[in-house]
Amino acid sequence: MSHSETVWIVDDDRSIRWVLEKALQQEGMNTHSFESTSGVLSRLAREQPDAIISDIRMPGPSGLDLLAQIRERYPRLPVIIMTAHSDLDSAVASYQGGAFEYLPKPFDVDEAVSLVKRACLHALEQQSQAPVTEQSRTPEIIGEAPAMQEVFRAIGRLSHSNITVLINGESGTGKELVAHALHRHSPRAAAPFIALNMAAIPKDLMESELFGHEKGAFTGAANQRRGRFEQADGGTLFLDEIGDMPADTQTRLLRVLADGEFYRVGGHTPVRVDVRIIAATHQNLETLVQAGKFREDLFHRLNVIRIHIPRLADRREDIPALARHFLASAAQELSVEPKLLKTETEEYLRNLGWPGNVRQLENTCRWITVMASGREVHIDDLPPELLHQSSESQPSGNWEQGLRNWADQALTRGQTGLLDEAVPAFERIMIETALKHTAGRRRDAAQLLGWGRNTLTRKIKELGMGGDDDEGDES
């Protein structure tokens, strides 16, 4: 921080004002103190500090009243709230009111100072990125990564057609979002978009879900009901997890696609519809076809144009933007201030495996919004299961990616001399695993590793993996 920061202290306790003034001035900051909230707002109209640290309970308007006024008029000014009464209510109220941090009394002076520094730094960052955040509108699908640009191009190319599309992608990658976009940019945009997830419907209800039923068609069918096909007439029907569709429903669907008409369950009059189908699956339909679990003719009908949605791990550059978007929407949903990821936290999230894809990231952001203690999210504020998900939890087949993540994280933490740690670890793991496979026989283990016997013995010695005896060798 180049210029010296100005911090205002608001507290009716003279000794606390004195302690804070001295501690902050020692750190080269300018301070100005108020013994009540009155006077703070009128002074703010003339000049603004880099941060304010305020008590809650004082004669006159409380620190929370002050906070509310500041949030309204100077939303970028960080306010740290102090209170001697560590009651939950004031903490919650100060966060909902948008406090930068919450400091229970009695506090540790060093902690207070480092909090103020963080607040000033935050104010500085806010100013530098102010204009950007104001203009940027959230696009309907977030994605700068090359893998996502391919998806956008496909949506663009298909925007004037009513052609059938099959979307492929793991669970949680956002298949429905892409289907929505295809609909919204199609000639059918004004008509309904109806979604149905095959995996979520009991098999015996699937027919009536899709095609509707007549009154009395089965027990419980008290009225006639229009199915999703009828609801989507003129528009788009999105069938998610199409691989889970039972065989007889597949046959009926094929007939509808061929004839453009169907019968409701228990009905005798054909119903005509004009529906565009977008189907999606996380399974490999070709494999299902080969196994006889999916009709080949239906597969060819659906597989006219295929769009593949990448895994989140294959579009890591989008993770920070997605996280910001989800943190903002979670904050809005819960009526709290959006949390901000520190740079190293963002970097840590970028390097995780994300087996649950974008949905897992969204749930993580909701968790952070509820659970992280401060306004800024540090690595140890993340959900515990993400903290233990370091390189060793990578699927074993993908050790190179795991190693890449480890190196990335180590360099982000400022570590140096990476190979001094990595190479011996790599060799040790290789040797231990080979010896495990040969029940400790070194001659065989050397062969498995592609080394000479002497090289293995030397390495074992260098790595301090036990003496140079040939245990089990001559047996």
Side-chain angles (χ1 to χ4, degrees), residues 8 63 105 153 163 177 223 377 433:
W8 290 2
K105 291 181 185 174
R153 272 197 290 279
I163 200 160
L177 217 52
N223 300 304
V377 183
T433 313

Side-chain angles (χ1 to χ4, degrees), residues 146-316:
M148 278 312 276
Q149 296 307 314
E150 208 35 64
V151 174
F152 296 152
R153 272 197 290 279
I155 293 173
R157 278 197 299 269
L158 295 171
S159 63
H160 298 301
S161 80
N162 285 315
I163 200 160
T164 304
V165 180
L166 179 62
I167 302 172
N168 253 115
E170 286 183 9
S171 204
T173 45
K175 296 187 287 287
E176 185 165 345
L177 217 52
V178 171
H180 247 298
L182 284 166
H183 170 73
R184 216 177 6 247
H185 297 284
S186 80
R188 297 173 173 251
F193 172 89
I194 303 290
L196 186 62
N197 184 338
M198 298 292 143
I201 298 168
K203 293 204 180 341
D204 46 347
L205 290 181
M206 200 167 281
E207 307 258 316
S208 99
E209 239 352 288
L210 275 169
F211 309 112
H213 58 247
E214 296 294 351
K215 183 176 177 177
F218 49 84
T219 317
N223 300 304
Q224 184 202 64
R225 180 170 183 279
R226 293 165 67 237
R228 303 294 170 106
F229 259 102
E230 273 176 271
Q231 293 169 19
D233 194 16
T236 305
L237 177 61
F238 172 56
L239 300 175
D240 200 359
E241 295 310 352
I242 191 97
D244 288 323
M245 186 182 265
D248 40 355
T249 314
Q250 289 179 30
T251 309
R252 287 199 64 178
L253 176 61
L254 187 65
R255 212 168 299 142
V256 183
L257 295 179
D259 312 337
E261 64 175 36
F262 59 87
Y263 294 90
R264 294 194 193 101
V265 177
H268 306 293
T269 338
V271 181
R272 288 208 67 77
V273 285
D274 164 29
V275 168
R276 176 196 196 180
I277 295 283
I278 297 178
T281 177
H282 74 279
Q283 303 178 59
N284 183 328
L285 285 187
E286 283 93 338
T287 317
L288 291 182
V289 168
Q290 283 160 7
K293 291 186 176 149
F294 201 84
R295 288 190 62 133
E296 188 167 1
D297 41 8
L298 176 58
F299 169 65
H300 291 308
R301 275 234 175 231
L302 295 173
N303 190 31
V304 184
I305 298 278
R306 191 181 274 211
I307 296 180
H308 176 73
I309 308 185
R311 297 158 52 231
L312 184 56
D314 293 334
R315 44 182 289 219
R316 296 181 181 279

Side-chain angles (χ1 to χ4, degrees), residues 21 136 295:
E21 279 169 8
S136 71
R295 288 190 62 133

